[in-house]
Amino acid sequence: MSDDKKKSVWTGYSAEERAAVDALARGYIDFLSDCKTERESVQEAVRAAEAAGYRDLADIIAEGTQLRAGDKVYAVNMKKAIVLFHIGTEPMEHGMNILGAHIDTCRLDVKQNPLYEDGGLAYFDTHYYGGIKKYQWVTIPLALHGVVVKKDGTTVTITLGEKADDPVFCVTDLLVHLSQEQLEKKAAKVIEGEKLDVLIGGIPLAKEEKESVKDGVLALIRKTYGIDEEDFQSAELTLVPAGRARELGFDRSMVLGYGQDDRVCSYTALRSMVETADVRRTGCCLLVDKEEIGSVGATGMQSRFFENMVAEVLSACGQYTELSLRRTLACSRMLSSDVSSAYDALYADAFEKKNVAYLGRGMVFNKFTGSRGKSGSSDASAEYLGELRRMMDENGVRYQLAELGRVDLGGGGTIAYIMARYGMNVIDNGVAVMSMHAPWEVTSKADIYEMKKGYDTFLQSV
């Protein structure tokens, strides 16, 4: 890596570029603050897509409309994943340029039978989602987001804890005065999963009966939302850190916010997709669910949703055969966009300095991920990486090459290995994040800006 790529990106920005960095960051902070669940992210993606002239692929299919170069369509999967296509002038068999990211993030999910009372207080029983340090989730203000679907099909949307005058919720912790035994436990055991129950109420109904506080909470929920206790059985409710994302540092150079893994990639990919003008190769932006738990399920990358939608687009273009579908997928190239670990001087021994990403040095390419002996890795070819380096250098995009951390310490994965099954060129690519998977994560505004520039360059490449 040349010396100029080891320097902070900030030093090369003009006043105009710094203004553009801040403008992009403002939009990103709004996205982080308003879209804390997959459903909310998809709703915003649909809004942005339609504002940019995209049409629902379901309508195209129903009408029997033929797609042509320049047309833009999107498809939603169960309200928790979305794919956008911008039809290029070249046949789709020549391959697509694909941006892929995930919109799920670590959180506390409310269980199917969550309400209970103990010690004169009411609680929600929860099940944590994704890889978290459980002790980080105690005593912080939490907001409730999600939907409750009643038996008659009525959907009730709930967002509570984000407005200044909203109540919030929390997981309690043992006072330090009585924590001698607790503090002797390993960090993984200091807070057990079953202890991540959320405090939600404390006033009993006028009648002094068993579970009167729980009944009082239920009465408020029934009055406010029109739902009963059994309706929680068909709900998707989650507890996330309450409050807006913020600028970080005296110089406002960074962003502190919940869910930057992987909404930092999702937001920039979406913005690039809806703002890109004419393309030769068909462009695609894929935002999926369930990456944090292995990309499983109907809304995860391991489902056939993406492949099915590519087939539908080929059909609407008058180009579909089973062979053309296979050629389209095999000839495509992808940036599998997920965050990378940022060097943290306070924990320097966890990183290998020559091969770690740094805040403020541009977008990140990970030739491979996986853990230890590259287990679970998708390893990009040298030829593909060489092509991307040329592409980024020619367009003034600042980037860095990195690994997650020390070889034997651990590792991680993305959706890259799933897409690589089609035989396409795929590489892991993203933004460096400090405090990854914590309730509040840190990114650099400069890296977010360079990521967006990199996406713009990729979508317009041939």
Side-chain angles (χ1 to χ4, degrees):
M1 184 182 295
S2 61
D3 289 338
D4 64 321
K5 289 175 183 173
K6 296 180 181 179
K7 297 177 181 177
S8 171
V9 178
W10 288 102
T11 58
Y13 284 152
S14 65
E16 292 77 12
E17 285 174 315
R18 289 205 176 201
V21 169
D22 283 331
L24 180 65
R26 283 193 296 272
Y28 174 54
I29 286 173
D30 286 342
F31 179 79
L32 275 182
S33 303
D34 297 337
C35 303
K36 294 187 176 182
T37 69
E38 305 93 309
R39 289 173 181 264
E40 291 166 350
S41 298
V42 167
Q43 288 170 2
E44 172 57 23
V46 169
R47 185 206 64 76
E50 291 183 344
Y54 282 76
R55 294 187 60 196
D56 192 333
L57 182 57
D59 294 337
I60 299 293
I61 295 169
E63 296 167 2
T65 304
Q66 184 166 346
L67 294 177
R68 294 178 174 81
D71 286 342
K72 305 172 183 179
V73 294
Y74 70 87
V76 172
N77 183 14
M78 298 184 178
K79 303 181 180 180
K80 291 188 284 186
I82 186 171
V83 61
L84 292 78
F85 297 93
H86 185 168
I87 310 302
T89 55
E90 292 188 0
M92 286 185 64
E93 278 193 17
H94 292 183
M96 300 179 290
N97 291 336
I98 305 170
L99 304 177
H102 69 91
I103 49 178
D104 61 313
T105 193
C106 299
R107 59 185 189 251
L108 303 181
D109 284 341
V110 176
K111 289 186 178 180
Q112 300 92 327
N113 299 296
L115 271 166
Y116 72 95
E117 178 180 334
D118 197 353
L121 298 173
Y123 297 85
F124 268 154
D125 196 358
T126 72
H127 192 135
Y128 65 92
Y129 175 95
I132 67 171
K133 292 180 177 179
K134 295 185 284 292
Y135 64 79
Q136 294 178 329
W137 287 76
V138 300
T139 72
I140 63 172
L142 300 172
L144 183 67
H145 289 239
V147 297
V148 179
V149 181
K150 302 168 75 172
K151 287 189 292 186
D152 64 2
T154 302
T155 299
V156 180
T157 301
I158 298 176
T159 305
L160 186 62
E162 300 294 354
K163 297 178 182 177
D165 59 348
D166 276 353
V168 294
F169 311 93
C170 78
V171 178
T172 60
D173 194 9
L174 184 62
L175 63 162
V176 69
H177 310 73
L178 301 178
S179 297
Q180 181 177 348
E181 293 180 355
Q182 182 194 43
L183 294 175
E184 291 175 355
K185 297 179 180 180
K186 292 184 178 180
K189 297 290 186 180
V190 169
I191 301 294
E192 302 279 357
E194 293 296 341
K195 298 290 186 183
L196 290 174
D197 289 356
V198 176
L199 185 60
I200 62 170
I203 299 178
L205 288 178
K207 58 179 182 177
E208 290 295 335
E209 297 180 3
K210 185 179 180 181
E211 297 193 325
S212 184
V213 176
K214 172 187 169 183
D215 291 341
V217 169
L218 275 172
L220 284 172
I221 292 174
R222 188 178 299 112
K223 179 180 178 181
T224 306
Y225 300 108
I227 59 178
D228 294 313
E229 183 173 8
E230 65 175 14
D231 292 324
F232 285 105
Q233 296 176 4
S234 53
E236 290 179 2
L237 293 171
T238 188
L239 288 137
V240 298
R244 289 183 57 79
R246 303 285 293 274
E247 293 175 308
L248 175 64
F250 283 112
D251 55 9
R252 300 174 182 266
S253 61
M254 293 164 282
V255 174
L256 178 68
Y258 163 69
Q260 299 201 69
D261 175 10
D262 185 33
R263 291 194 176 96
V264 65
C265 298
S266 300
Y267 176 75
T268 45
L270 177 63
R271 280 283 303 269
S272 183
M273 188 70 181
V274 299
E275 292 175 8
T276 297
D278 297 336
V279 292
R280 284 179 58 183
R281 286 168 63 96
T282 293
C284 175
C285 176
L286 177 62
L287 308 180
V288 296
D289 183 22
K290 297 294 187 289
E291 190 277 341
E292 296 293 2
I293 59 170
S295 297
V296 295
T299 54
M301 193 64 246
Q302 295 198 55
S303 77
R304 301 293 287 271
F305 168 71
F306 172 69
E307 184 178 327
N308 292 344
M309 293 307 101
V310 175
E312 293 285 5
V313 170
L314 280 166
S315 178
C317 290
Q319 301 174 23
Y320 177 78
T321 65
E322 181 64 19
L323 183 57
S324 67
L325 173 61
R326 297 300 150 199
R327 286 175 175 168
T328 298
L329 293 170
C331 293
S332 292
R333 55 192 177 195
M334 180 182 185
L335 297 183
S336 176
S337 300
D338 207 341
V339 296
S340 189
S341 59
Y343 176 74
D344 189 336
L346 300 181
Y347 305 97
D349 58 351
F351 305 98
E352 197 269 283
K353 285 189 175 182
K354 299 188 301 298
N355 290 287
V356 66
Y358 291 81
L359 290 184
R361 295 190 186 176
M363 66 189 296
V364 182
F365 288 107
N366 300 107
K367 186 178 184 299
F368 51 84
T369 53
S371 58
R372 299 174 180 89
K374 295 189 179 181
S375 175
S377 174
S378 175
D379 201 336
S381 70
E383 289 82 359
Y384 185 41
L385 188 50
E387 179 185 0
L388 290 169
R389 289 177 56 220
R390 173 196 56 76
M391 188 188 304
M392 299 304 162
D393 285 342
E394 288 179 354
N395 288 276
V397 179
R398 295 290 295 275
Y399 61 90
Q400 50 187 320
L401 277 295
E403 295 182 24
L404 197 63
R406 276 176 34 210
V407 173
D408 282 336
L409 199 58
T414 70
I415 63 174
Y417 76 98
I418 301 168
M419 300 297 276
R421 292 171 179 169
Y422 294 114
M424 69 175 70
N425 275 311
V426 185
I427 192 168
D428 287 296
N429 158 252
V431 168
V433 173
M434 192 175 287
S435 305
M436 190 190 302
H437 279 214
W440 298 97
E441 300 167 313
V442 178
T443 57
S444 167
K445 289 182 180 179
D447 297 337
I448 298 167
Y449 180 71
E450 294 299 323
M451 187 71 166
K452 169 65 164 51
K453 284 172 58 180
Y455 283 156
D456 292 345
T457 296
F458 181 76
L459 286 177
Q460 293 169 345
S461 65
V462 294

